[in-house]
Amino acid sequence: SGINAEHTGVITLEEFCDVLGLELKEIQARLHEYTDPDAWPKDVTILSDDMSMNMKLRIIEITREALDKHDHKKDVSKYIKETCDAEFSKLWHVVVVRGQYWAYYSFEPERNFAFKLRATSIWFGKHLCLGNQPAIATNQPNT
């Protein structure tokens, strides 16, 4: 049969999953995870992201813990990095900024998240390229 066997120009999710051997219910659950507007914290502003929703939500949770526990930005950054290194493997970079900044950096695909929470901007990512994975460049203003 194949995808879009009737040549209508429309591919249903059911056809897509059937042809690729994917479980429809699992894919529907994952789509809901990425598109549910209630899942996103209202007090967080995304500045830049290339990361799974679950990972972003966990990083926000870790950042809240860090901001609640520590007064100094260096301690906030250290807490976020050490916690994320333990949960997501090592070699993460964390930048915590209050106020305006500009950044231009490269990062591994699906390993970049910059956001604003409580008047603090946080960049979390990996920019070490391993193997054949290309780095992605971004120009990130924050005002």
Side-chain angles (χ1 to χ4, degrees):
S1 65
I3 293 180
N4 197 22
E6 292 82 33
H7 304 288
T8 62
V10 176
I11 301 168
T12 67
L13 183 58
E14 188 174 1
E15 286 176 307
F16 180 83
C17 291
D18 184 51
V19 169
L20 295 177
L22 303 172
E23 293 294 325
L24 178 63
K25 287 183 181 184
E26 180 182 333
I27 299 302
Q28 287 172 327
R30 293 181 108 189
L31 283 172
H32 179 74
E33 168 189 315
Y34 287 101
T35 58
D36 181 5
D38 295 329
W40 195 253
K42 304 292 185 229
D43 60 340
V44 174
T45 303
I46 297 176
L47 303 173
S48 173
D49 75 292
D50 181 18
M51 186 175 285
S52 75
M53 177 67 87
N54 285 343
M55 192 174 223
K56 288 186 288 193
L57 291 171
R58 181 61 184 129
I59 291 165
I60 291 168
E61 184 179 315
I62 291 166
T63 301
R64 285 184 200 284
E65 293 168 9
L67 291 169
D68 289 343
K69 291 180 179 186
H70 301 286
D71 294 327
H72 299 289
K73 297 300 174 228
K74 69 177 183 146
D75 297 327
V76 170
S77 181
K78 181 179 180 183
Y79 180 91
I80 295 168
K81 181 187 175 16
E82 288 178 351
T83 304
C84 290
D85 277 351
E87 288 191 29
F88 305 127
S89 79
K90 294 192 181 274
L91 299 178
W92 290 97
H93 303 280
V94 178
V95 178
V96 177
V97 178
R98 218 175 248 265
Q100 187 176 24
Y101 73 92
W102 279 87
Y104 190 82
Y105 53 89
S106 300
F107 58 89
E108 286 186 25
E110 299 180 18
R111 296 294 181 256
N112 171 61
F113 184 35
F115 62 101
K116 198 173 218 175
L117 172 66
R118 298 185 196 168
T120 302
S121 298
I122 294 95
W123 175 76
F124 178 84
K126 282 189 176 186
H127 63 79
L128 175 67
C129 289
L130 302 173
N132 295 331
Q133 290 185 326
I136 299 172
T138 187
N139 185 357
Q140 175 57 54
N142 174 35
T143 55

